[in-house]
Structure formats: C-alpha cells, structure tokens
C-alpha cells in the first residue's frame, strides 16, 4: 500500500485527495494535512463585508468529508518538508512519511511588501481571509455611519487575484447606491495592471471593453500602472508620486508560496511557488506533485508594474484532477498525462452586485481560439446558484 500525502485540503488538495482515493482504493493510504479544520468558499468573501454572508453560509468542516471518503485528515500546521527523506513534519512534531506528495498549500498573503497594507495593523482593508473580510465589514459599517467619502479599491504590484478586486469594486458601487452614498463617495480603482481588465492575463476577450462601459456608467476613476509605495491614514502613495486619498480602501495583496514550501528553494521560484513540468511534477522529483495556487505560473508578457497570473478555483481543481490522474498512473505503472495549466479551459463568473459577466474560454492563457463573455443579471444569479451547488456537492465529497 502506498502512502500518499496531500498538503492542503482546499480547492486543489480536496479534489486531488478524493480523486486519488477513489481510483486507488485499498492500494493507497491517503492523508490530508491542513491547518484549518474547515473549507471556506473564497469566491463568496466579496459579500461578507456587506453582511450578505457569514461563515456558516460559505464553509463546512473538512474532517467528516474526508472520513466519509476513507481519507485520514490531520489538522496541523505543516512545519517542514524533507524531499530527500520523503517526510513532512507538523508543528506538533509528528512525522509523516510519504511515497507520493501533493503540494496544494495555496499562498501566503504578502502584506509585508508595502507599509500599511496589512489590515491587522495598517490602514486599508482586505477580503482575502474570512477574518479580514469580517474586519472589512466592520470598517464599512463605520464608513456608512460617517456618511461615506472617497473609496479606493485596487490591486498592488505582484497581485494575481484581480478578479476578486473587480468583483468587490462593482459590489461596492452597488452597495453605495443602496445606502444612498454614491453621490458623496467617489470611487477610484488603483491597479498594477497596465490597462483595465488586463487581469494578469494580458486581457480576456472583450473584458476590457465591457469593464470600460461599466466604469463609465458608474463614474469609477481608473489609475493603472500603479506601484504602491506606502499606505498611511487615509492616503495611498505610489512610487511615481501619485497620491490618492481615501476614507475606505480595499487592496488585493501579492502572493508568496507558504513558508515550508518557500523553504524548498531547489523546486520553487523566487516567490516560493513550485516549478512544475507538464505532468505537474516538481523539478527533479517524479514523486512530488503540485497544483492550484501553490504552482509557479510565470507571466508570458511582463508588465511595467509586476502583475502575476491568477490561479482561479476552477483552474486549481482542474490541475488537481491531472495531478490525481498522474499519481494514480505512477502507482499503477501507467502512462502519465501532460496538460499545461495555460491549456486548461477557463470558466469564471465576475459578480457585480446585481449583474456581472460570465467568462469562458478554450484556454486559460493565450493563445485562445475563443473567449466568450456574457454580461447581464443572469451572471449574478449564476454565481448565487454556483455557490450553492459547489458547497452542497463538496460537502458530500463530490469534486
Ligand atoms: C476573495 C477571493 C475571491 C475569489 N473569487 C474567485 C472566483 O470567483 N472564482 C474562482 O475561480 N476563484 C476565485 N478565487 C480564487 C480561489 O479561491 C483560489 O483559486 C483557490 O482558493 C485555490 O485553491 P488552492 O487549494 O490552490 O489554495 P487555497 O484555497 O489557498 O488552499 C490552501 C490550503 O492550504 C492550507 N495551508 C497553507 N499553508 C499551510 C501550512 N503551513 N500548514 C497547513 N496547511 C496549510 C490552507 O489552510 C488552505 O486550506 C478567489 C479568491 C479569493 C481570496
């Protein structure tokens, strides 16, 4: 029986673990390690600050899901990974040997890169963890009570999750109207992107034109090529001298690989993400795989201010399926499948409060044969329906 260790139990890790166990059954002991005991559906974090969701609406416990699938779940912080001796150590000093390792640990939020960016002791908000989103909601309530003011939403240099910034922006505009604060609350989008809806992807179909229309319609001011120098009380300073005042700001941080993965310098890039081949094997290790946000996915066209490539939930799960297939094939001595992440199809919904855009493409990255965008209120309802579908199925262990 092979020992298969999956690090991280979220979108990528859960998918990989369940698929591997389903195919290998008694041929493998599958163990998942995650520091959290619950799954959080990140795409719904955009609604938490506006009181539209709380934790119970967008999360479920991991242990029952894995137990049902005969997968061992260990809640602990992964302290170190030893690729030579094929072991992982957790913070309670437990040692986990493995035959095959799947790294699906996502990212660490790089708040330290810009003074004032960390919502815990800085001056702006973040929605990138549940607790941060709750804090962003408390600050939004104060902002409303104080009768509004300048709003800045954006994404700093090195950010990749641009979609969440745009969704929060359009949801904010919708909420300002609902609170009758839109006339006294000018909104500015400040981004590292070279142009509107570049998204870290060099654009996506007609996204730029559509967002341009939405920006004009809602009088949103745009500041591109923004390299953030520091954030102080009510003021953002960019390195080129631009100063942008705010009463409420939410900024998307850059990502780094998580500490125990970043420490593996022979298989990671300068930001600590795992460099993989088309089989999702880490450089030089045929028994170490990585998927989801934890992988290195370099930008094909560098931008003036660094913008990283987003690794979405759908993409993370599709990568995890290829990884699962390849782990199963390795155990059974069968042929591995190659699938470059950029060639995986794209499926995404950008919510805008009461409308949005459904986005699909044959390839996640260029070159693409098609990239279709369907704007309208049905996108909002599609996102609501997808949230329920995703949480219901994953809670049952269906990935
Ligand atoms: C606000 C927001 C909105 C988003 N909206 C969308 C959207 O609309 N559509 C979409 O497709 N994607 C969206 N995404 C992106 C999506 O959430 C990610 O693509 C997805 O979470 C990636 O999954 P993952 O499993 O690779 O990483 P993660 O979900 O980050 O999971 C990593 C796991 O590893 C665990 N871990 C990390 N380090 C350690 C350690 N040292 N010890 C133990 N455990 C550890 C973590 O606890 C976590 O459970 C959004 C993300 C955010 C933050």
């Amino acid at each position: 029986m092979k020992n298969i260790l999956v690090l991280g139990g979220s979108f990528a890790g859960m998918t990989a673990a369940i698929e591997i166990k389903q195919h290998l059954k008694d041929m493998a002991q599958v163990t998942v390690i995650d520091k959290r005991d619950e799954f959080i559906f990140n795409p719904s974090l955009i609604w938490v600050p506006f009181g539209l969701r709380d934790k119970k609406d967008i999360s479920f416990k991991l242990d029952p899901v894995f137990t049902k699938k005969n997968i061992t779940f260990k809640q602990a912080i992964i302290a170190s990974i030893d690729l030579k001796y094929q072991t992982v150590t957790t913070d309670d000093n437990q040692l986990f040997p493995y035959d095959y390792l799947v790294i699906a640990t996502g990212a660490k939020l790089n708040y330290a890169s810009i003074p004032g960016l960390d919502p815990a002791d800085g001056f702006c908000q973040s929605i990138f963890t549940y607790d941060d989103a709750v804090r962003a909601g408390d600050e939004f309530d104060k902002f409303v009570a104080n009768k509004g003011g300048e709003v800045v939403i954006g994404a700093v240099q090195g950010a990749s999750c641009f979609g969440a910034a745009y969704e929060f922006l359009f949801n904010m505009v919708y909420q300002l109207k609902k609170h009758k604060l839109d006339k006294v609350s000018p909104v500015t989008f400040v981004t590292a992107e070279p142009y509107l809806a570049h998204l870290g992807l060099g654009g996506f179909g007609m996204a730029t034109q559509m967002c341009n229309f939405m920006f004009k319609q809602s009088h949103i001011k745009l500041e591109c090529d923004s390299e953030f120098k520091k954030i102080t009380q009510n003021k953002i300073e960019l390195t080129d001298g631009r100063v942008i005042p705010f009463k409420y700001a939410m900024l998307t941080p850059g990502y780094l690989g998580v500490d125990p993965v970043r420490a593996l310098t022979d298989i990671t890039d300068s930001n600590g993400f795992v460099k993989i081949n088309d089989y999702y094997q880490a450089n030089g290790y045929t028994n170490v795989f990585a998927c989801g946000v934890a992988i290195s996915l370099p930008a094909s066209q560098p931008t003036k201010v660094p913008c990283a490539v987003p690794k979405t939930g759908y993409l993370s799960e599709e990568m995890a399926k290829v990884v699962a297939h390849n782990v199963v094939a390795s155990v059974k001595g069968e042929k591995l499948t190659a699938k470059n992440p950029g060639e995986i199809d794209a499926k995404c919904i950008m919510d805008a409060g009461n409308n949005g855009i459904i986005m699909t493409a044959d390839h996640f990255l260029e070159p693409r044969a098609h990239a279709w965008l369907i704007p309208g209120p049905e996108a909002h309802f599609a996102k609501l329906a997808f949230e329920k579908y995703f949480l219901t199925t994953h809670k049952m262990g269906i990935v």
Side-chain angles (χ1 to χ4, degrees), residues 7-14 33-36 38-46 62 76-79 104-107 109 127-129 161 163-164 167 255 258-260 291-294 311-317 347-350 383 386:
L7 308 183
S10 184
F11 288 79
M14 177 181 284
I33 308 179
D34 200 303
K35 62 183 175 190
R36 300 191 308 204
E38 64 202 350
F39 181 97
I40 302 265
F41 186 66
N42 290 340
S44 298
L45 291 177
I46 54 163
L62 287 175
I77 294 174
I78 298 148
T105 40
L109 304 172
I127 51 162
F128 286 78
T129 66
C161 199
E167 287 193 293
Y255 285 174
V258 302
D259 295 344
C291 48
V293 172
K311 291 156 245 172
T312 62
Y314 176 75
L315 181 69
S316 297
E317 291 199 327
K347 288 193 178 69
C348 202
I349 302 168
M350 189 183 76
K383 179 142 178 162
F386 180 70

Side-chain angles (χ1 to χ4, degrees), residues 176 180-186:
L176 291 172
K180 300 196 173 19
L181 289 174
D182 50 321
K183 300 280 183 296
V184 292
S185 302

Side-chain angles (χ1 to χ4, degrees), residues 239-282:
T239 54
D240 60 8
R242 279 178 283 173
V243 176
I244 299 146
F246 69 86
K247 283 272 161 41
Y248 186 97
M250 195 298 289
L251 297 176
T252 302
Y255 285 174
L256 294 173
V258 302
D259 295 344
V261 175
R262 215 164 66 249
L264 307 172
T265 48
D266 54 334
I267 62 160
T268 51
D269 65 16
S270 57
N271 287 322
F273 294 111
V274 182
K275 291 185 279 186
I276 52 160
N277 60 20
D278 279 356
Y279 303 109
Y280 295 80
Q281 289 163 316

Side-chain angles (χ1 to χ4, degrees), residues 107-344:
K108 172 182 178 160
L109 304 172
N110 190 9
Y111 289 133
S113 62
I114 300 163
L117 181 63
D118 190 335
D121 55 10
F123 302 96
C124 61
Q125 303 307 313
S126 164
I127 51 162
F128 286 78
T129 66
Y130 179 76
D131 290 344
D132 284 347
V134 170
R135 186 190 289 111
D138 294 342
E139 292 303 315
F140 181 69
D141 291 345
K142 286 184 209 160
F143 170 83
V144 170
N146 291 329
K147 305 272 176 275
E150 300 96 333
V151 173
V152 172
I153 314 291
V156 309
Q157 58 270 27
S160 58
C161 199
F162 293 99
Y166 281 98
E167 287 193 293
F168 189 71
L169 170 77
F170 292 127
N171 273 269
M172 173 61 83
V173 167
Y174 178 64
Q175 290 293 330
L176 291 172
K177 276 188 198 134
K178 274 182 85 174
H179 286 91
K180 300 196 173 19
L181 289 174
D182 50 321
K183 300 280 183 296
V184 292
S185 302
V187 179
T188 307
F189 191 67
V190 185
T191 178
E193 295 159 282
Y195 54 84
L196 189 58
H198 173 281
L199 300 169
L201 296 167
F204 192 98
M206 296 285 283
T208 300
Q209 291 86 333
M210 285 182 190
C211 284
N212 210 358
F213 175 78
M214 291 163 86
F215 267 53
K216 278 201 180 125
Q217 201 181 34
S218 299
H219 309 288
I220 303 167
K221 204 175 156 216
L222 177 66
E223 299 282 353
C224 285
D225 285 327
S226 304
E227 189 177 28
F228 292 66
K229 186 174 164 194
K230 64 176 174 181
I231 298 132
T232 52
Q233 185 83 45
N234 304 133
K235 201 167 75 179
I236 290 170
E237 291 179 41
L238 304 181
T239 54
D240 60 8
R242 279 178 283 173
V243 176
I244 299 146
F246 69 86
K247 283 272 161 41
Y248 186 97
M250 195 298 289
L251 297 176
T252 302
Y255 285 174
L256 294 173
V258 302
D259 295 344
V261 175
R262 215 164 66 249
L264 307 172
T265 48
D266 54 334
I267 62 160
T268 51
D269 65 16
S270 57
N271 287 322
F273 294 111
V274 182
K275 291 185 279 186
I276 52 160
N277 60 20
D278 279 356
Y279 303 109
Y280 295 80
Q281 289 163 316
N283 277 355
Y285 294 86
T286 52
N287 66 337
V288 178
F289 294 80
C291 48
V293 172
I295 70 149
S296 172
L297 194 52
S300 52
Q301 294 164 341
T303 43
K304 184 175 158 200
V305 178
C307 295
V309 178
K311 291 156 245 172
T312 62
Y314 176 75
L315 181 69
S316 297
E317 291 199 327
E318 291 302 302
M319 288 188 221
K321 287 180 187 171
V322 183
V323 165
H325 175 91
N326 286 343
V327 170
V328 171
S330 302
V331 171
K332 292 186 172 174
E334 294 169 358
K335 194 170 176 287
L336 272 60
T337 293
K339 183 96 182 172
N340 185 284
E343 290 171 10
I344 292 174

